[in-house]
Amino acid sequence: MPSIGNRQCISCRLLLPPSDFYPRRGSRVDNCCRKCTLRKSRAYAKANPVRYKAWQRKYEQSLKLEMVAHYSDGANKCDCCGEERLEFLTLDHPDNKGGEERRRLGKPTGAGFYRVLRKLDYPPGYKILCYNCNCGRARQPDKVCPHKKPPLHQ
């Protein structure tokens, strides 16, 4: 006899608790359990590598755009020089401790790290810099972007 609240997966036919199903919009849950959904997703990716890669690129781009929009307060540009091309924009970690933070969170990078930030409801302290400003600051002893200093040669 089924337990109250349990659901049957339409793929494997197992009776499982709701926590074994992915949530859907509203208060509904998916019809396939997490294991079957993952198996189907992997099979689709293997059978359709070009389409899957295109979908994955689009998804990762949307994650980055969401993260950039949040940390730039909707400006979508470098906090230092004003660069607006998404390909050049990066996330500047608080106190330049990105490596420590990634190790603490299980070493996520790129879209994986953006997913972690979204799951943590975008914690404060991060800012958006272009790659040049981010690297320039990291390599300066005073951690000031070279754009903010007078040129060495005039």
Side-chain angles (χ1 to χ4, degrees):
M1 180 162 189
S3 300
I4 295 176
N6 284 355
R7 297 180 51 92
Q8 186 175 29
C9 171
I10 63 168
S11 186
C12 66
R13 300 287 186 208
L14 293 176
L15 200 57
L16 301 165
S19 61
D20 284 354
F21 295 83
Y22 286 112
R24 296 184 86 184
R25 290 188 182 149
S27 60
R28 299 177 7 187
V29 292
D30 207 350
N31 292 325
C32 286
C33 68
R34 289 175 187 257
K35 286 182 182 179
C36 291
T37 301
L38 184 60
R39 188 180 67 244
K40 287 179 178 183
S41 179
R42 286 182 177 156
Y44 177 84
K46 192 173 183 178
N48 303 284
V50 174
R51 290 181 78 185
Y52 182 77
K53 225 19 178 174
W55 171 86
Q56 188 176 32
R57 262 193 302 280
K58 188 176 175 182
Y59 172 69
E60 289 174 358
Q61 185 99 353
S62 71
L63 274 178
K64 183 174 183 176
L65 188 59
E66 181 183 321
M67 180 270 307
V68 167
H70 178 82
Y71 284 114
S72 67
D73 294 323
N76 294 359
K77 63 182 182 177
C78 175
D79 195 40
C80 180
C81 71
E83 174 63 59
E84 294 180 343
R85 281 173 276 192
L86 188 63
E87 301 87 2
F88 296 146
L89 298 179
T90 61
L91 186 68
D92 182 47
H93 297 264
D95 304 321
N96 292 320
K97 294 186 177 179
E100 288 177 27
E101 187 170 31
R102 280 190 298 277
R103 281 188 290 280
R104 183 175 54 84
L105 295 171
K107 299 185 181 182
T109 59
F113 190 68
Y114 306 153
R115 279 192 298 273
V116 169
L117 289 175
R118 184 169 64 181
K119 197 172 195 176
L120 296 173
D121 202 25
Y122 294 111
Y126 297 91
K127 60 183 168 183
I128 300 300
L129 295 177
C130 71
Y131 191 75
N132 280 343
C133 292
N134 205 350
C135 289
R137 280 186 67 237
R139 287 166 176 73
Q140 299 295 318
D142 55 1
K143 303 299 180 202
V144 175
C145 179
H147 285 121
K148 305 283 185 183
K149 295 180 176 183
L152 294 175
H153 307 323
Q154 291 197 6

